[in-house]
Amino acid sequence: MTSVNPLNEKVSMNNPMTTNPMTTNPMNNMSNGSAANRMQPMSNPTTGHHINPLNVQINPHSVVKPVSHDMIPASAVPAAHHTAPTNPRTSNLAARLPHRRGDHHMFLTSDDNAMMKHIEETHIPDGRDFDVKPLVHIIEDIVHRATPIAGHVHEAKVQAHLEALEEKAPQNELIEILNYLAYPIQRIKMELISKCANKEDAHSTTMSLLHSLTTYAWDTKVAITFAAFAQLYGEFGLLTHQYTTNPLAKSVAIIMELPEIMTRQDILKQKFDAIHDLIDKMLDVTKCIIEFRDVQSSQNQHVITQELEMLINTAHISTAAYWTMRAAVMCAAMILNLIAIGHEQISSTSEAWEISSLAHKLANILDHLKKVLNLCHQKIEEKRQYDKFEAILRLLRTPQLDNMKILSMLIHSMDDQLPLFDGTHKRRVSLDVLRRKHVLLLISDLDIAPEELFVLHHMYDESKTQPNRPESNYDVVWIPVVDKRVTPWTDAKQMKFEEVQASMPWYTVAHPSMIDPAVLRCIKEVWGFKKKPQLVVLDPQGKESNNNAYHILWIWGSLAFPFTKARETALWKEQTWNVELLADSIDQNIFTWISEGKCICLYGGEDIEWIRSFTSSTRAVANAARVPLEMLYVGKKNPKERVRKNSSIIQMENLSHVVQDQTLIWFFWERLESMWHSRTQQDIPGETDPILQEIVTILSYEGSDLGWAVFSRGLAEMTRGKGDLIVQVMKGFDRWRNEVSDITTFVPALDRQLRDLHSPHHCTRLILPSTSGHIPERVICAECSRPMEKFIMYRCCTD
């Protein structure tokens, strides 16, 4: 009786080994016997590298020595691995390849190299591509369930493996692959039985299998051979598990003398633990070979470079496949011999030694494969990140129909999860909520200051009170910058992320893992993010319209909509230096004082004695000149305990008004810095820019502990001065009393007095944080119009 197999080969069902691949394959001129004869005798294990798991004496001449302990034949490595590469793109490849002492010992003779050449010559793939992962999953399930006898350590490992396997390999994928590979598996199984019955050596049998599987890819050859062995192993395991309870199994076991064999459980435990250790290594190597196949798959073809090809070649997949298949041959022979010879085979010293030798060899092979795989994945990831980075840059510069394409690239949705968290309604949403809107990407790390969040929260809420206004047609999305390649993600960081996320009313990325490394590179290299938060603006077509709108939002709020550079320039052209620009809304009384035409004084500093002297002398001058004057204490940047105490004393002694909220004191100085950053990027020379000079002057006061003051008559004329000069002028009011006739002359007269006392000798300091973004190389002193020197300052302030 005959049957046609899926490979269109006619096979006798009475003798499944009728078709001998060694007689039909065009490469059958290779002599198995001569190949075996080229193998060298095994050295004494007591002086070798292997460990005998059964602790029995071994005759060193009774077994055939495996070719070596290590994996890579020095002569089999491509020439580029041994000589200085000439290609500059790959010149540093050899230095990065994994290397162990002894790697060059794998095949030391020309005969050994010839043997590996013969192995390569058996490989004539026909281009068929099988995904054998489902088959390997079922193989793994079989070998872990089938072990007849195992120690407690092995039983624990088996249980862990089985739990991990439960969610793998859907049955439909397995059925699909078996439609093509079921017959080859059966054919190899029968060939294994035949070769073992004829007592052929392991190398000859392995070569025969390679000839039988000549048209398959390396991973498929290994999977088919492994599956054939798994059947034999599974059938034996099934019998040993059931012969004590199942009458049919008991009868079959009696014929096989299985009960007698199983009485030697002390030795069998050692034997099967050693076999299973070898099987585990076979599985690991098989998975690595499959992973190399995935690396070279069509979906990665766009990232396959010459350097990556060379890297893959150094893995020596054919060598790994040969030794994995040879291990399967050895294990199959041991199981079949155990059945055929019985208890006499249980304590075979030759098999014990070969198990140990093969396990050691596969461990070395696995180590090498993993190192090369890691390098391959690193190269693929680098190429993928480079391509994505370039794609992001193209999208940011090119208008699209809408902003969905760039947003989906910036915020990667994993497993079809909703990528955004709506901070107002506390739910996950899709990117569609941002379609055709102006989007402000709030970029920061997890340590964003509570003060910044407070002010942003206030501005955001204010813009949403009238949603129909054009300037309300924008949304904010928080992009947390967390590079897991630099700092690992911990439970503490997760809690911190959730805490910050919960405080934001706008949209946030659902999790930092949705921000790809290529996006982080864009954030740092293109948008210049360091530490200080930024607001990158994307227009409704997804084009970048401003790489940092943080400063103009701080200065003008929603009036800066749509937050473009052009809008920033237009706002500055309309702007003059006045107290409204300087103070904005840090205290609502300011707008009332402006409308009433009063003289307004903003002052700061930390010395409470200077504050008492300044406020009392200034109040006395205002009363004497009949000038309606209101004073407001604005402290210092980063107000700490001393500023809080000063505010309390000022209120208690009724010296002046104070900014009630310490966050608004912080905002006053932060906003002033934003004005400096924004103004320095305008096309106006600093020497001729009066607004920039005033900003620099007041910022320089922040570095002084003594004090300072600014005077303004409504939105009209202004003057300012350092604390010691101000007090000196106020206490000498009698000298310039005649220059003041009413409120309109008070500020001009004060300004003249301060200028008269101005000395050419001065020391002006402008302190800006290193994380504040763009720092110009040239800054002009507001006192003398000369370029200022740049210093680096380290400050620790415990207040």
Side-chain angles (χ1 to χ4, degrees):
M1 176 180 179
T2 61
S3 172
V4 178
N5 66 62
L7 301 180
N8 297 320
E9 296 174 303
K10 215 174 246 190
V11 181
S12 168
M13 299 302 290
N14 297 325
N15 183 3
M17 295 305 295
T18 298
T19 303
N20 188 339
M22 292 299 292
T23 63
T24 59
N25 193 289
M27 303 202 58
N28 61 5
N29 56 350
M30 173 181 173
S31 170
N32 291 333
S34 61
N37 292 334
R38 288 196 294 270
M39 307 292 281
Q40 302 299 316
M42 175 179 287
S43 60
N44 192 315
T46 60
T47 61
H49 298 86
H50 299 303
I51 298 173
N52 176 6
L54 303 182
N55 296 317
V56 294
Q57 293 297 318
I58 301 175
N59 181 348
H61 302 292
S62 63
V63 293
V64 176
K65 178 183 176 182
V67 176
S68 120
H69 300 314
D70 298 293
M71 178 179 176
I72 310 174
S75 56
V77 176
H81 192 63
H82 295 290
T83 60
T86 57
N87 187 335
R89 296 179 57 197
T90 59
S91 59
N92 60 348
L93 176 61
R96 297 197 306 274
L97 290 178
H99 177 73
R100 301 181 307 277
R101 186 173 65 182
D103 276 356
H104 59 286
H105 289 310
M106 182 173 177
F107 299 110
L108 297 180
T109 69
S110 59
D111 284 347
D112 294 331
N113 291 332
M115 186 189 77
M116 295 313 300
K117 181 180 178 182
H118 286 311
I119 291 173
E120 292 281 357
E121 287 173 350
T122 66
H123 186 57
I124 312 173
D126 59 9
R128 288 178 298 171
D129 188 11
F130 297 104
D131 181 7
V132 295
K133 287 190 283 292
L135 180 58
V136 173
H137 293 156
I138 201 68
I139 291 170
E140 192 170 5
D141 185 70
I142 292 171
V143 296
H144 284 131
R145 294 182 189 276
T147 299
I149 301 172
H152 294 301
V153 174
H154 173 70
E155 288 176 354
K157 287 172 63 180
V158 169
Q159 186 58 36
H161 276 296
L162 293 178
E163 290 175 359
L165 281 169
E166 286 180 359
E167 298 181 1
K168 290 185 177 180
Q171 287 298 311
N172 58 336
E173 294 181 9
L174 179 61
I175 292 171
E176 182 179 353
I177 193 69
L178 286 177
N179 285 337
Y180 297 96
L181 300 185
Y183 175 75
I185 291 170
Q186 292 301 317
R187 192 181 68 179
I188 294 301
K189 174 188 171 185
M190 299 308 296
E191 189 169 348
L192 278 173
I193 295 172
S194 173
K195 297 292 183 183
C196 291
N198 291 331
K199 297 184 179 180
E200 291 194 20
D201 63 86
H203 171 70
S204 298
T205 302
T206 306
M207 292 302 300
S208 176
L209 299 183
L210 285 170
H211 279 288
S212 297
L213 300 171
T214 186
T215 60
Y216 294 98
W218 289 111
D219 61 326
T220 310
K221 297 180 202 285
V222 174
I224 290 173
T225 306
F226 209 154
F229 160 69
Q231 279 196 39
L232 292 171
Y233 193 57
E235 290 164 1
F236 180 75
L238 191 62
L239 196 59
T240 57
H241 289 163
Q242 295 189 1
Y243 82 94
T244 58
T245 57
N246 186 296
L248 177 59
K250 181 178 180 180
S251 298
V252 175
I254 290 172
I255 293 175
M256 297 172 58
E257 296 186 300
L258 194 60
E260 183 180 354
I261 296 171
M262 300 303 289
T263 58
R264 302 291 302 276
Q265 293 211 4
D266 53 340
I267 298 178
L268 283 175
K269 280 184 181 180
Q270 294 179 349
K271 187 181 190 74
F272 280 106
D273 278 351
I275 290 175
H276 207 281
D277 181 60
L278 178 58
I279 290 173
D280 280 343
K281 290 180 173 58
M282 290 163 57
L283 277 168
D284 290 338
V285 173
T286 301
K287 291 175 183 177
C288 276
I289 293 172
I290 293 171
E291 198 168 345
F292 272 103
R293 178 79 165 175
D294 291 342
V295 165
Q296 295 175 293
S297 65
S298 57
Q299 63 182 5
N300 284 329
Q301 284 304 306
H302 68 288
V303 299
I304 298 296
T305 61
Q306 181 182 359
E307 185 175 5
L308 187 59
E309 284 285 3
M310 288 182 61
L311 196 57
I312 293 170
N313 289 339
T314 64
H316 300 287
I317 302 301
S318 58
T319 305
Y322 167 82
W323 285 108
T324 307
M325 293 172 68
R326 178 161 171 164
V329 169
M330 182 63 193
C331 289
M334 292 178 67
I335 298 300
L336 293 171
N337 286 343
L338 187 64
I339 297 171
I341 305 175
H343 62 85
E344 296 175 7
Q345 178 68 13
I346 292 177
S347 58
S348 168
T349 56
S350 61
E351 287 185 350
W353 177 243
E354 185 138 7
I355 288 176
S356 174
S357 176
L358 283 171
H360 181 77
K361 177 171 289 293
L362 287 179
N364 286 337
I365 289 173
L366 180 64
D367 179 60
H368 177 74
L369 290 178
K370 284 183 175 179
K371 288 178 180 177
V372 178
L373 263 177
N374 287 338
L375 286 174
C376 287
H377 287 309
Q378 179 182 328
K379 286 294 174 188
I380 291 173
E381 182 63 14
E382 286 174 0
K383 184 63 166 62
R384 189 187 72 83
Q385 294 298 335
Y386 174 81
D387 290 345
K388 183 165 185 177
F389 177 73
E390 292 296 317
I392 291 172
L393 295 187
R394 285 193 299 271
L395 285 175
L396 288 173
R397 296 162 184 164
T398 310
Q400 307 290 319
L401 290 176
D402 58 30
N403 53 7
M404 287 295 97
K405 197 168 184 179
I406 182 63
L407 287 174
S408 61
M409 189 165 283
L410 293 173
I411 305 171
H412 176 62
S413 179
M414 298 183 299
D415 302 324
D416 296 326
Q417 294 182 357
L418 296 173
L420 296 179
F421 180 77
D422 183 343
T424 300
H425 301 97
K426 307 301 179 186
R427 65 186 182 189
R428 296 280 285 268
V429 295
S430 71
L431 290 172
D432 281 334
V433 297
L434 304 173
R435 188 182 296 274
R436 294 190 178 89
K437 286 188 177 183
H438 293 271
V439 177
L440 275 60
L441 302 177
L442 172 60
I443 300 171
S444 79
D445 58 20
L446 300 183
D447 297 321
I448 185 170
E451 294 87 354
E452 291 185 273
L453 287 176
F454 173 83
V455 175
L456 280 171
H457 199 312
H458 173 75
M459 290 182 175
Y460 183 79
D461 287 346
E462 187 178 53
S463 71
K464 298 304 176 183
T465 54
Q466 296 178 318
N468 294 326
R469 295 186 306 171
E471 56 266 32
S472 297
N473 186 33
Y474 73 89
D475 270 307
V476 178
V477 179
W478 180 41
I479 307 290
V481 178
V482 181
D483 195 341
K484 296 182 181 179
R485 299 170 300 178
V486 179
T487 55
W489 189 252
T490 61
D491 291 341
K493 286 189 176 181
Q494 179 65 28
M495 291 177 62
K496 178 65 175 177
F497 167 73
E498 293 173 358
E499 176 187 336
V500 176
Q501 186 184 55
S503 68
M504 295 178 170
W506 45 80
Y507 298 111
T508 67
V509 171
H511 195 270
S513 59
M514 293 182 171
I515 305 301
D516 196 85
V519 178
L520 293 177
R521 181 186 171 191
C522 178
I523 288 171
K524 294 175 182 179
E525 295 184 14
V526 179
W527 294 331
F529 174 80
K530 293 180 181 177
K531 175 72 176 176
K532 194 173 180 62
Q534 288 182 218
L535 280 169
V536 175
V537 183
L538 303 180
D539 68 15
Q541 287 72 46
K543 186 179 178 182
E544 176 193 324
S545 56
N546 196 335
N547 67 354
N548 192 5
Y550 210 78
H551 302 309
I552 59 174
L553 185 70
W554 246 220
I555 300 168
W556 292 290
S558 295
L559 286 176
F561 180 85
F563 312 106
T564 61
K565 292 288 186 181
R567 177 60 177 161
E568 181 179 12
T569 301
L571 286 168
W572 275 122
K573 286 181 178 179
E574 300 169 2
Q575 192 67 62
T576 58
W577 180 249
N578 56 49
V579 73
E580 186 177 33
L581 174 64
L582 174 62
D584 191 54
S585 58
I586 60 171
D587 192 306
Q588 293 300 316
N589 288 323
I590 291 176
F591 299 107
T592 302
W593 299 336
I594 291 173
S595 63
E596 293 174 352
K598 290 184 176 182
C599 186
I600 302 168
C601 172
L602 305 179
Y603 73 98
E606 291 184 315
D607 188 336
I608 190 63
E609 293 304 321
W610 176 86
I611 291 172
R612 288 188 175 112
S613 175
F614 166 73
T615 53
S616 61
S617 60
T618 301
R619 185 73 65 189
V621 169
N623 291 336
R626 295 186 180 87
V627 172
L629 175 69
E630 299 290 351
M631 291 186 287
L632 179 66
Y633 177 63
V634 295
K636 290 192 68 173
K637 185 180 178 181
N638 297 322
K640 296 192 175 117
E641 192 57 35
R642 195 185 305 180
V643 171
R644 293 187 184 94
K645 287 181 180 179
N646 287 348
S647 295
S648 298
I649 293 171
I650 291 169
Q651 284 183 294
M652 186 170 55
E653 298 180 9
N654 198 26
L655 302 178
S656 74
H657 298 278
V658 299
V659 176
Q660 298 294 333
D661 193 330
Q662 299 290 300
T663 300
L664 293 178
I665 293 179
W666 170 89
F667 176 62
F668 172 82
W669 292 101
E670 191 75 14
R671 184 173 170 275
L672 198 60
E673 277 187 14
S674 289
M675 280 191 255
W676 180 82
H677 281 289
S678 176
R679 191 71 182 181
T680 55
Q681 295 180 51
Q682 302 303 304
D683 191 19
I684 305 173
E687 302 92 321
T688 59
D689 186 351
I691 294 179
L692 182 60
Q693 290 176 3
E694 294 299 327
I695 293 170
V696 169
T697 299
I698 298 175
L699 281 174
S700 69
Y701 293 156
E702 203 273 331
S704 170
D705 294 331
L706 182 58
W708 58 273
V710 173
F711 290 84
S712 174
R713 180 178 66 86
L715 294 177
E717 57 272 358
M718 295 178 70
T719 190
R720 72 302 190 263
K722 293 181 180 178
D724 53 346
L725 295 180
I726 290 280
V727 172
Q728 183 179 344
V729 169
M730 291 301 179
K731 288 184 176 180
F733 177 63
D734 288 339
R735 295 194 306 270
W736 53 284
R737 177 192 295 266
N738 295 334
E739 297 181 32
V740 181
S741 58
D742 55 25
I743 189 174
T744 61
T745 58
F746 175 71
V747 174
L750 177 59
D751 182 64
R752 287 192 295 273
Q753 293 299 314
L754 289 170
R755 291 182 184 277
D756 289 343
L757 289 177
H758 177 73
S759 169
H761 304 290
H762 63 274
C763 183
T764 302
R765 291 180 294 171
L766 175 63
I767 301 175
L768 297 169
S770 61
T771 57
S772 59
H774 170 73
I775 302 292
E777 288 297 320
R778 190 168 182 267
V779 177
I780 300 301
C781 175
E783 296 281 342
C784 63
S785 299
R786 291 185 296 183
M788 300 178 74
E789 293 183 84
K790 184 165 68 174
F791 294 87
I792 296 175
M793 182 182 74
Y794 297 91
R795 180 171 66 178
C796 176
C797 182
T798 58
D799 197 44

